[in-house]
Amino acid sequence: MVPQIQKALIVTEIGKPLQLVTDRPVPKPGPDQVLLKVRVAGINPHDHAARDFGLFIAGNLPAVLANDTVGTVVSLGPGVTKYQIGDRVLSQSGSSGANYPQMALQEYALNDIGAGLKIPDNVSDDEAATLPTNIIAPLVGFFSSGNGLGIPAPWSVGAKDFDYASTTVLIVGGGSNCGKFGVQLAKLAGIGRIVVVGGVDAELKGYGATHVLDRHGEDSEVLERIRNVVGDELQYAFDAVNPPTGQVLALNALSSTKKGKLARLLPMGPVDESMVVGKKAGFEVKDVMGSSQLNHQLAYPFWERLPDLLVSGKIKPSKFVVKNGLTPENANGILDAYRDKQRVVKTHIHF
């Protein structure tokens, strides 16, 4: 029996710690939705930005955070046949809607059935929970024609006419989860040269990187390392970690004679184009919004393919750690670590 009220952790004031409430209404699933009893809530860096700076939530408080959700189906919306009661489901929660009914830091959450999957038997809850935010962001960054690099998704109609093997991509931020999943997606597409700045050489080459470059040193030194690999041919760059000041590195690595694109995950203002040198053919900067719901034509077909990719090992989950209990101390501790720029392993709250 599904209760009418539930526990949740909420943002009541920007810049203040999450608070526990015990009387939050349990939402009801609509068409193409199911209700999940949440088992795992995965927290990411943007959740700290939401709590502390109001990212995505400033005009709509109180708010619930966390987009990476694993739960058990307890109620089906009208006409839903994709799932059955009791299925283990992975969901990328949509942030829209009054009262944030899909977000993970509450006992019951809705799932848009297109933005998720039934978890394969050989994949644990926590392995699944590493995926949603951190794989959809590079998926959009690489394959969206609107707010990404516009490389055709390998299952799309445009794939047959695109020369993946002769294509080079630069990924800045290879040590991040989005960077690691970006490497896997580039490998999945068959991109011939995958050049990564930052991260562990053996790990990234295991995912499919062809070159892993040291990120340490002056930008001019890192740029020289990149140029020694790509020459003046680079047209596609993806920055998973840097604010606009750091995005100049990837832009300067782009070709001077061929128009290039940079897809960035942190669109925190314009890039200082006076610091970008010699781009005679010009360049574009694409602001990535890594939401399945906002990119459903790309993301929903990917979610349909993802179970087989996990079972086959073509997509590998990332590392994680676990905290037990839906408590303010657990959630705020993780968000504080991101705020204080500590090194954080992807953390999941079990409840």
Side-chain angles (χ1 to χ4, degrees):
M1 187 74 177
V2 178
Q4 293 187 332
I5 59 173
Q6 61 174 324
K7 295 179 182 178
L9 298 179
I10 63 172
V11 180
T12 57
E13 183 179 351
I14 301 303
K16 300 293 185 181
L18 303 184
Q19 302 292 319
L20 177 67
V21 297
T22 59
D23 59 352
R24 183 174 177 80
V26 173
K28 297 185 186 302
D32 297 321
Q33 291 184 326
V34 294
L35 180 67
L36 304 177
K37 175 66 174 73
V38 179
R39 299 156 62 110
V40 179
I43 295 181
N44 291 287
H46 73 266
D47 294 308
H48 132 65
R51 183 195 68 170
D52 294 329
F53 307 121
L55 179 70
F56 305 134
I57 68 169
N60 188 16
L61 296 179
V64 182
L65 304 181
N67 297 85
D68 296 351
T69 310
V70 170
T72 303
V73 176
V74 294
S75 182
L76 304 173
V80 170
T81 58
K82 179 178 179 178
Y83 301 129
Q84 302 297 318
I85 301 297
D87 283 348
R88 283 192 310 142
V89 167
L90 173 64
S91 169
Q92 187 186 29
S93 305
S95 301
S96 61
N99 301 319
Y100 303 92
Q102 297 191 26
M103 305 302 276
L105 286 175
Q106 54 191 337
E107 292 179 301
Y108 293 87
L110 297 180
N111 161 248
D112 292 325
I113 61 172
L117 54 80
K118 181 179 177 181
I119 301 172
D121 291 341
N122 68 334
V123 177
S124 73
D125 288 356
D126 285 296
E127 289 172 330
T130 66
L131 291 162
T133 295
N134 291 313
I135 202 167
I136 295 300
L139 179 87
V140 174
F142 287 161
F143 304 130
S144 170
S145 58
N147 61 344
L149 298 175
I151 298 169
W155 54 84
S156 68
V157 173
K160 62 182 177 64
D161 297 321
F162 190 83
D163 187 358
Y164 294 96
S166 298
T167 298
T168 298
V169 295
L170 171 68
I171 298 172
V172 178
S176 70
N177 287 320
C178 286
K180 293 171 186 177
F181 282 120
V183 172
Q184 295 186 61
L185 289 172
K187 174 68 173 178
L188 181 69
I191 289 173
R193 189 158 53 176
I194 304 167
V195 184
V196 186
V197 175
V200 178
D201 184 280
E203 180 183 22
L204 291 166
K205 286 183 176 175
Y207 291 144
T210 58
H211 301 77
V212 179
L213 307 179
D214 186 359
R215 65 177 175 83
H216 296 95
E218 299 293 328
D219 270 11
S220 59
E221 298 173 301
V222 181
L223 179 60
E224 183 178 6
R225 292 175 199 138
I226 298 170
R227 283 281 182 161
N228 285 341
V229 175
V230 305
D232 193 41
E233 299 297 315
L234 182 68
Q235 292 183 270
Y236 301 110
F238 174 74
D239 192 317
V241 296
N242 285 308
T245 52
Q247 293 161 10
V248 171
L249 172 67
L251 287 171
N252 277 321
L254 292 173
S255 174
S256 298
T257 57
K258 301 176 182 179
K259 188 174 182 179
K261 296 179 183 178
L262 167 67
R264 59 180 188 167
L265 293 191
L266 297 180
M268 300 160 56
V271 175
D272 182 358
E273 295 191 11
S274 70
M275 301 296 291
V276 182
V277 179
K279 304 303 161 195
K280 298 175 184 177
F283 61 87
E284 295 180 73
V285 176
K286 297 290 189 176
D287 295 342
V288 177
M289 180 63 73
S291 162
S292 293
Q293 287 83 355
L294 295 178
N295 300 276
H296 58 89
Q297 290 182 320
L298 171 65
Y300 287 11
F302 175 71
W303 281 110
E304 293 294 329
R305 289 166 172 79
L306 188 51
D308 288 342
L309 296 173
L310 288 167
V311 170
S312 68
K314 292 180 179 178
I315 294 293
K316 300 177 177 64
S318 64
K319 297 176 182 177
F320 60 87
V321 296
V322 170
K323 289 183 178 290
N324 290 300
L326 183 65
T327 67
E329 293 78 14
N330 280 341
N332 286 313
I334 303 163
L335 298 174
D336 290 349
Y338 280 124
R339 177 199 63 197
D340 298 339
K341 302 187 185 305
Q342 299 176 20
R343 185 178 294 276
V344 180
V345 177
K346 176 77 187 299
T347 305
H348 299 156
I349 295 179
H350 287 199
F351 52 96

